[in-house]
Amino acid sequence: MPGRINWPDLLFGLFLCVVAAIVLVATRKLSFGNPTEMGPGFMPRVLAIGAAGFGLVFALRSLAIGGEGIETPKLRPILGILAAVAVFALLTVKAGLAVAAFATVIVAGLASRETRLGETAIFAVALSAGAVILFVLLLDLPVPVWPRF
């Protein structure tokens, strides 16, 4: 059916453009800098421009003939990822980076019905070791690796 507008996509695209415009206005007085010497306004503006670009893509796609809409959000993945972020935030200082990273991957794995616990545990061990190597050993960040007793 020609001329049909996909309203959810159009509204989502316009929402992204409005949020990007608000960020650009809010950061207008911050120094931008350049990619080698970033100012405080560099990343917010770059991300806002990216969000505006995605918003335009969604808005224009909503006007295309026969365009398919975005899928209705599912609650399980959203709650699983939010829970994983909360687990990491709550465990990092008290339980240490290794335990927090491991628990985060396990909780994030629960966001999908297709996840297998054994595979997720192997990935969690690898990611936890990688996080400790990167952040504690290579970058020398003052993050505890193991729980504090």
Side-chain angles (χ1 to χ4, degrees), residues 54-73:
F54 279 115
L56 288 174
V57 168
F58 273 99
L60 293 175
R61 189 178 83 167
S62 72
L63 303 174
I65 298 172
E68 295 182 20
I70 57 176
E71 188 177 321
T72 303

Side-chain angles (χ1 to χ4, degrees), residues 8-120:
D9 273 6
L10 179 63
L11 294 175
F12 180 65
L14 293 175
F15 169 76
L16 284 178
C17 290
V18 167
V19 169
I22 290 170
V23 170
L24 290 172
V25 169
T27 61
R28 71 185 179 280
K29 293 183 181 178
L30 296 176
S31 169
F32 185 74
N34 58 54
T36 58
E37 294 180 19
M38 296 181 206
F42 186 88
M43 282 309 293
R45 288 189 200 142
V46 168
L47 294 174
I49 291 168
F54 279 115
L56 288 174
V57 168
F58 273 99
L60 293 175
R61 189 178 83 167
S62 72
L63 303 174
I65 298 172
E68 295 182 20
I70 57 176
E71 188 177 321
T72 303
K74 307 243 183 311
L75 192 58
R76 181 179 178 147
I78 293 171
L79 293 177
I81 299 304
L82 288 174
V85 171
V87 162
F88 186 79
L90 294 172
L91 288 180
T92 303
V93 174
K94 294 284 185 186
L97 181 61
V99 173
F102 182 86
T104 299
V105 173
I106 297 296
V107 172
L110 298 174
S112 172
R113 295 180 195 272
E114 301 169 6
T115 305
R116 295 184 185 149
L117 186 58
E119 293 171 355
T120 304

